[in-house]
Amino acid sequence: MIFSKSVIENMGFTKYPVSDVLEIQFGIVMVYSIQGINFNPNSTSTISKPFEFGENCTAVISDSINDACRLLIGDDFIDEDEQEWIKKKKVSRPFAFIFFKEFQTRTLKGGYRKEHEGSIITYDAFPEGKQDIQKWEKESLPSIITSLVVHLSTLERPVSLILVKKAVFGETNNGVTLFDLKMTGSANVIVSSGKTSIEMDVSLSKSSDLYGKLEYKTSRHFYSALNEKDRLKQFLNYFLFIERETHRQFKSLSYESDAKSVFNVPQRLSQSGNLFFEDRFNDSRNLAQRFHWCAILAWDDLNDQDVNDFIDIKKIRDKLAHGDNLVETELPVEKAKIIAMKLLGTEKI
């Protein structure tokens, strides 16, 4: 929604002349409500250690948004009672607090601003700027959220990360804090399981490790499925992730290093027998063949049921590709999600 000048001014903002210049280094703060887990009541702490996700990005999990913000940035994030804020937003603890800081300094000439308790708040500043932030949101954030969901979840109890608040955050060259806020919110009800602060640290550590291994072209499909409400689009995105990950994994395998050991070739046929099996391996072109090879050689957590489920969901995907009409409520979204999470390393309870 675009507000008029009078509405913006009624919100307490003043239009500054372009001659009034601020040099600012910006970052972006993403606050997510984590639904499906909570801090165990017996935990000695309700905040995790901070963990890095690539360059200039740090994440922490906490029951308190302000505690998380002070840990990473050195300032409060909410200037009201947190409990009242949580009730008003209809969200639940704990929160994942993700902070990314831009690599360069930006110049703000004029614009709508107001001062609040020693900080500067701007209204829609730098509409054409923040290129680093925009690139980070597009290319890195999907892999970060994917990594967190994978390792905060168990196969029996998957978690959801619901975006609660998104804010552009900056600091002037004079050390003054600046906010350029945009907010969104929603709520769901999910049964939660408890984790101690140490278990939260372990999950974050594994998430950080996974983030370093994920490719954007692959993780974006999983991320899209997580944020999609339409079951058909969810199903197709999970399947696309499985398809891409299968081809990626298969290409990393070789007959000599991986497949040869699973065949019991008689010594009398050591040459012709090995050549026969090597040809079968190298001739595996379609998705089903490659999925079976990966399940045998690389994916230790998959079992017969997972392979059968994959065959079922592939048949349904093929029917959709051929234009068959299927009932969306009956699409095996959950089966596809579980296989995808297993490929990413989600563990059982």
Side-chain angles (χ1 to χ4, degrees):
M1 180 182 296
I2 300 175
F3 293 115
S4 66
K5 176 182 177 181
S6 60
V7 171
I8 296 171
E9 290 177 346
N10 285 336
M11 294 165 61
F13 290 93
T14 300
K15 182 65 179 288
Y16 281 67
V18 293
S19 59
D20 193 304
V21 177
L22 292 176
E23 297 293 331
I24 304 165
Q25 186 171 22
F26 272 103
I28 186 170
V29 171
M30 312 288 287
V31 180
Y32 293 85
S33 172
I34 309 176
Q35 301 187 349
I37 62 169
N38 52 40
F39 279 97
N40 190 301
N42 296 323
S43 179
T44 57
S45 174
T46 56
I47 187 169
S48 73
K49 296 177 181 177
F51 284 86
E52 294 181 357
F53 286 80
E55 290 187 275
N56 282 26
C57 179
T58 311
V60 67
I61 294 174
S62 176
D63 269 354
S64 167
I65 293 177
N66 279 342
D67 284 352
C69 191
R70 284 192 292 268
L71 179 63
L72 296 186
I73 302 172
D75 202 353
D76 284 344
F77 193 65
I78 301 169
D79 59 0
E80 59 183 289
D81 181 80
E82 279 199 53
Q83 187 58 39
E84 291 301 317
W85 184 88
I86 289 171
K87 288 181 180 179
K88 184 169 61 178
K89 292 293 181 184
K90 297 181 180 179
V91 295
S92 59
R93 297 183 172 97
F95 300 99
F97 190 97
I98 303 172
F99 175 56
F100 169 76
K101 192 173 185 178
E102 276 199 320
F103 299 100
Q104 57 185 306
T105 299
R106 308 231 173 249
T107 301
L108 172 60
K109 298 180 178 180
Y112 284 100
R113 312 176 199 166
K114 65 179 179 180
E115 294 186 5
H116 179 72
E117 296 183 355
S119 297
I120 299 172
I121 301 176
T122 62
Y123 178 82
D124 197 21
F126 301 87
E128 303 302 325
K130 302 189 280 284
Q131 294 96 328
D132 287 345
I133 289 174
Q134 293 165 356
K135 182 179 180 181
W136 176 83
E137 282 191 276
K138 178 182 177 182
E139 298 181 3
S140 297
L141 186 61
S143 293
I144 293 172
I145 300 302
T146 295
S147 301
L148 289 170
V149 168
V150 166
H151 286 298
L152 290 172
S153 299
T154 64
L155 293 174
E156 295 81 2
R157 290 183 178 174
V159 306
S160 298
L161 269 65
I162 309 300
L163 181 62
V164 176
K165 192 167 186 176
K166 169 183 173 180
V168 174
F169 170 98
E171 186 177 41
T172 70
N173 56 352
N174 295 323
V176 178
T177 302
L178 183 144
F179 292 98
D180 185 29
L181 303 180
K182 292 180 183 292
M183 290 169 275
T184 184
S186 63
N188 291 311
V189 177
I190 297 177
V191 177
S192 297
S193 60
K195 283 180 179 279
T196 66
S197 58
I198 294 175
E199 290 171 330
M200 289 288 192
D201 289 346
V202 171
S203 294
L204 270 172
S205 178
K206 290 181 177 179
S207 299
S208 179
D209 290 342
L210 176 60
Y211 168 77
K213 302 172 185 176
L214 286 176
E215 296 178 354
Y216 166 70
K217 290 181 179 180
T218 301
S219 63
R220 66 189 174 98
H221 296 301
F222 188 89
Y223 177 75
S224 295
L226 290 174
N227 291 280
E228 183 58 64
K229 297 187 182 301
D230 183 280
R231 285 184 65 83
L232 174 59
K233 293 179 181 178
Q234 272 188 320
F235 175 76
L236 291 174
N237 272 300
Y238 282 130
F239 190 90
L240 279 170
F241 168 79
I242 294 169
E243 185 174 33
R244 281 184 174 273
E245 182 61 15
T246 299
H247 289 309
R248 185 200 68 79
Q249 182 66 70
F250 181 81
K251 289 176 182 178
S252 73
L253 301 174
S254 73
Y255 178 78
E256 284 294 327
S257 300
D258 304 294
K260 185 176 180 179
S261 62
V262 303
F263 301 111
N264 186 20
V265 179
Q267 184 61 37
R268 59 188 174 79
L269 297 174
S270 60
Q271 292 184 356
S272 59
N274 274 311
L275 182 60
F276 173 80
F277 285 121
E278 185 174 8
D279 287 343
R280 302 291 79 72
F281 177 82
N282 291 330
D283 287 342
S284 298
R285 305 295 182 188
N286 67 53
L287 179 62
Q289 291 171 329
R290 291 185 170 189
F291 187 91
H292 276 83
W293 279 117
C294 292
I296 294 169
L297 302 175
W299 297 329
D300 295 337
D301 293 331
L302 265 61
N303 55 38
D304 285 334
Q305 185 61 56
D306 296 317
V307 174
N308 291 334
D309 287 344
F310 167 77
I311 292 171
D312 289 342
I313 66 174
K314 184 180 181 303
K315 288 178 180 177
I316 292 172
R317 195 290 306 263
D318 291 345
K319 288 181 179 180
L320 289 170
H322 294 143
D324 291 4
N325 292 322
L326 299 173
V327 180
E328 287 192 18
T329 56
E330 297 178 0
L331 291 173
V333 174
E334 290 72 24
K335 286 184 178 180
K337 181 178 182 179
I338 286 176
I339 291 175
M341 292 181 73
K342 279 194 169 186
L343 300 192
L344 285 166
T346 302
E347 300 172 351
K348 294 176 70 68
I349 291 178

